[in-house]
């Protein structure tokens, strides 16, 4: 099995912040929009970590997207990101 078969390329499809701690939530999804990975980072960690347009994720770390509207939105945003950015470009 190659590295490509062991991971799924996922694109940044959503970034939001909330709460008193101002945690930042990043959501990455593959082009189909049917699965996602959610990362929550503190502002301090966000400043030290390189956030890229895409990331390679092990399939078992991805959660299903059950809502059809959200799947369509994630798929559309993943496609837009793929068209506008290289996978390793900082965003």
């Amino acid at each position: 099995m190659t590295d490509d078969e062991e991971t799924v390329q996922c694109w940044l499809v959503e970034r939001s912040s909330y709460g008193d701690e101002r945690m930042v939530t990043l959501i990455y999804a593959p082009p189909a929009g049917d699965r996602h990975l959610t990362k929550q980072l503190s502002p301090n960690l966000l400043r030290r970590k390189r956030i890229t347009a895409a990331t390679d994720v092990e399939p078992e770390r991805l959660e299903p997207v059950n809502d059809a509207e959200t799947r369509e939105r994630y798929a559309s945003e993943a496609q837009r990101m793929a068209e506008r950015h290289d996978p390793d470009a900082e965003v």
Side-chain angles (χ1 to χ4, degrees):
M1 190 177 278
T2 67
D3 286 343
D4 290 339
E5 293 170 332
E6 293 176 2
T7 61
V8 176
Q9 187 174 55
C10 295
W11 295 86
L12 182 63
V13 295
E14 188 174 308
R15 181 190 318 225
S16 59
S17 61
Y18 68 94
D20 292 338
E21 294 99 33
R22 298 216 180 256
M23 295 296 289
V24 176
T25 301
L26 304 174
I27 299 178
Y28 285 87
D34 59 338
R35 297 175 290 166
H36 75 284
L37 172 71
T38 300
K39 295 182 177 184
Q40 290 189 319
L41 306 170
S42 70
N44 282 341
L45 185 56
L46 190 63
R47 283 188 285 275
R48 292 181 298 186
K49 186 168 177 59
R50 189 170 176 261
I51 306 302
T52 57
T55 188
D56 293 326
V57 179
E58 296 82 11
E60 61 272 7
R61 292 183 58 207
L62 295 170
E63 297 291 328
V65 176
N66 297 319
D67 177 74
E69 185 177 316
T70 303
R71 273 193 309 271
E72 290 176 24
R73 184 168 50 88
Y74 286 177
S76 176
E77 186 62 18
Q79 180 179 352
R80 185 183 75 77
M81 289 293 284
E83 289 172 355
R84 295 182 180 181
H85 301 282
D86 289 329
D88 61 348
E90 281 193 59
V91 292

